[in-house]
Amino acid sequence: MLARHTQPIVAIATAPGRGAVGIVRVSGQGLDGLVHALCGHPLTPRKATYLPLRDSDGQPIDHGLAIHFPAPHSYTGEDVLELQAHGGPVLLQLLLARCLEAAAQTDSATGLPVLPGLRVAEPGEFTQRAFLNDKMDLAQAEAVADLIDASTEAAARSATRSLSGAFSQEVNTLLAALVHLRMLVEATLDFPEEDIDFLQRADATGQLARLQQQLATVQQRTRQGALLREGITVVIAGQPNAGKSSLLNALAGAELAIVTPIAGTTRDKLTQTIQIDGVPLHVVDTAGLRHHDDAADAVEQIGIARAWDAIERADAVLFLHDLTRANAPEYIAGDADITRALAEKLLKNVPVIDIWNKSDAATAQTPPPHASQGLVLSAKTGAGLADLRQRLLAVAGWQAAPEGLYLARARHVQALQQVASHLDQSAALLASAMPALDLLAEELRLAQNALNQITGSFDADDLLGEIFSRFCIGK
């Protein structure tokens, strides 16, 4: 029985639903028999051929294009057949069924099925084949999904750069420098009789320092890329009728949340993704916070509980204050209760931005607070929103996007943090009077393993081969 990853696969390659064009894609080894069964004759490689796409009785299911991509010059690295037809869901299902049926038919010349084992592909399996057949690395494979899921233009362009290999190239540059350093240490350990001090000769300390500098640059760009892909979750919190829903509407530029003068109008959280300079922010409007006993009914109590749940999961909190009630003792006490609760429930690294709303309605008796106490704005008129957007970018850690920014994921950031930690340990060992080379070698090996998690492109077992290929140590 064929291993699952070597079985031929077929799937509808276009999005579900109706469309002008739909594609059924087949990938596997040796598709010539299936091409002949479906098309009636061989196809010129990589040339679109217009023809009838027929069922088993010879009746046309549709007229469309067929393209054959022989291995290895295809998306998956295997033979690929694409059938392009009109994009009706029923029609595409008929073509999919026809591919499976034709594959199971007996070849008159061999007495065997035309394409044994053809099955419907699992999600992402075509791209998995591309990775397994060295058409792309792991970072590029992830970029395919990121490009499809991109929520902003900046994210889409950055995903395209990752798919083209920009991120992988930087990782491979780090990997090459790390492998060279490992090679020096391993050679010193494995061949002490040669009496060659590889570490001093090759300035291992300097190489490690330069590697750390390069890594720091990649880390900074990767953090920006991860932010561009994933964004941050910002929760708007505050007492009832402070203008939370109005602020969400103002940031989104649309009337998403119901706004009334009645306190407690918002009963459940409402999430909207907006973008600021291409960075996605997932803004959550919540029910007004007040003491459980003061809630109007059980529904509002549930809304308040969900609000606190959202706050505890936030990357940043906008604590909205009503400037027109800033001097009211009862309102001051309510804000103080929320402040204490935020301090108890939030992690230390979650920022809280104080926002004083309704500046358009404030009077001389309610002067705006000092700038250090937060931002003053009007969700109704839009005054102060620009400052808030810039503050949100700063809180997110966003910097002006450098040219050629690539998209990255949280796992990439974490992997690079592991690399940095192991390189720091390596630097400490190398700086000692009598370096423990075995421990140094292990730290460098762990750093390589962490770096290798990003692309999966280098096997640590190849290290000995690297030593002998670069140094003429053997006699």
Side-chain angles (χ1 to χ4, degrees):
M1 184 176 179
L2 290 173
R4 192 163 181 81
H5 68 271
T6 61
Q7 292 175 334
I9 54 176
V10 60
I12 298 172
T14 41
R18 299 170 60 189
V21 177
I23 299 174
V24 174
R25 177 182 293 164
V26 184
S27 180
Q29 299 297 335
L31 298 186
D32 291 342
L34 183 65
V35 170
H36 190 275
L38 293 172
C39 303
H41 56 79
L43 299 175
T44 303
R46 292 172 294 283
K47 181 179 179 181
T49 302
Y50 180 74
L51 43 69
L53 303 171
R54 303 181 185 275
D55 62 17
S56 58
D57 296 326
Q59 299 300 313
I61 300 172
D62 193 12
H63 287 72
L65 299 177
I67 312 174
H68 183 205
F69 301 89
H73 305 297
S74 70
Y75 178 74
T76 64
E78 303 172 331
D79 287 350
V80 169
L81 173 65
E82 285 193 359
L83 304 178
Q84 301 183 9
H86 294 94
V90 174
L91 173 61
L92 295 177
Q93 287 293 339
L94 289 173
L95 285 177
L96 178 65
R98 175 58 185 146
C99 289
L100 293 168
E101 179 186 39
Q105 291 176 344
T106 301
D107 189 311
S108 58
T110 64
L112 299 173
V114 170
L115 188 60
L118 180 65
R119 59 175 175 81
V120 176
E122 298 173 356
E125 196 166 4
F126 285 94
T127 302
Q128 182 187 46
R129 295 287 176 95
F131 167 69
L132 293 174
N133 293 320
D134 295 325
K135 300 297 290 186
M136 61 179 65
D137 60 35
L138 283 178
Q140 290 174 297
E142 289 172 317
V144 175
D146 293 339
L147 182 59
I148 295 171
D149 294 336
S151 59
T152 68
E153 179 182 350
R157 292 183 180 277
S158 298
T160 300
R161 295 188 188 100
S162 291
L163 181 57
S164 68
F167 180 35
S168 301
Q169 184 176 356
E170 294 212 16
V171 171
N172 288 332
T173 299
L174 291 173
L175 187 61
L178 181 54
V179 168
H180 186 267
L181 191 56
R182 275 198 69 194
M183 181 175 51
L184 296 175
V185 177
E186 296 283 356
T188 304
L189 280 171
D190 291 343
F191 302 96
E193 68 277 3
E194 297 294 327
D195 196 27
I196 301 175
D197 191 347
F198 289 101
L199 300 185
Q200 288 186 359
R201 267 187 160 186
D203 184 24
T205 301
Q207 287 193 40
L208 179 56
R210 288 188 291 273
L211 178 57
Q212 289 177 297
Q213 291 176 354
Q214 294 171 1
L215 176 63
T217 301
V218 175
Q219 281 185 286
Q220 191 274 335
R221 292 169 65 88
T222 305
R223 283 191 292 267
Q224 297 292 290
L227 178 61
L228 196 59
R229 175 185 180 271
E230 299 171 7
I232 65 170
T233 299
V234 178
V235 174
I236 306 175
Q239 295 189 61
N241 220 15
K244 297 182 295 298
S245 297
S246 296
L247 180 57
L248 172 65
N249 292 342
L251 288 171
E255 296 297 321
L256 302 174
I258 299 174
V259 177
T260 74
I262 302 172
T265 298
T266 301
R267 296 299 187 95
D268 201 356
K269 62 182 181 181
L270 175 64
T271 302
Q272 176 67 22
T273 298
I274 65 172
Q275 60 168 300
I276 303 175
D277 291 355
V279 179
L281 273 73
H282 315 293
V283 184
V284 183
D285 178 25
T286 59
L289 302 176
R290 53 181 166 181
H291 195 274
H292 185 275
D293 295 336
D294 295 332
D297 51 41
V299 176
E300 186 180 358
Q301 292 175 4
I302 294 172
I304 292 172
R306 291 185 177 181
W308 280 113
D309 181 66
I311 289 169
E312 291 176 9
R313 299 170 184 269
D315 297 312
V317 174
L318 300 183
F319 186 3
L320 201 62
H321 309 275
D322 185 346
L323 195 56
T324 64
R325 293 182 281 168
N327 296 328
E330 183 178 347
Y331 188 78
I332 293 173
D335 270 5
D337 289 340
I338 296 174
T339 299
R340 284 191 293 270
L342 288 174
E344 294 174 359
K345 295 177 180 292
L346 291 179
L347 297 175
K348 298 296 184 183
N349 61 339
V350 177
V352 177
I353 304 175
D354 288 294
I355 308 293
W356 292 87
N357 188 28
K358 304 184 183 181
S359 62
D360 58 295
T363 65
Q365 286 72 37
T366 56
H370 190 270
S372 63
Q373 295 177 279
L375 297 175
V376 177
L377 57 77
S378 169
K380 182 177 181 180
T381 66
L385 284 181
D387 290 339
L388 174 58
R389 291 189 178 98
Q390 293 307 307
R391 178 71 69 87
L392 287 171
L393 287 179
V395 165
W398 179 251
Q399 300 173 4
E403 191 66 26
L405 185 66
Y406 43 74
L407 217 59
R409 296 189 171 203
R411 79 167 190 90
H412 302 150
V413 175
Q414 293 167 1
L416 291 175
Q417 287 173 344
Q418 293 177 26
V419 176
S421 176
H422 290 303
L423 291 187
D424 288 342
Q425 293 292 330
S426 299
L429 288 167
L430 200 54
S432 62
M434 295 292 292
L437 296 185
D438 52 345
L439 296 180
L440 175 60
E442 178 63 11
E443 289 294 339
L444 294 175
R445 185 188 70 82
L446 293 173
Q448 180 187 325
N449 287 349
L451 194 59
N452 207 36
Q453 292 174 13
I454 298 175
T455 62
S457 59
F458 188 89
D459 185 352
D461 292 337
D462 293 336
L463 185 62
L464 193 58
E466 288 286 331
I467 292 176
F468 281 100
S469 66
R470 299 198 188 191
F471 286 78
C472 297
I473 296 176
K475 292 184 178 178

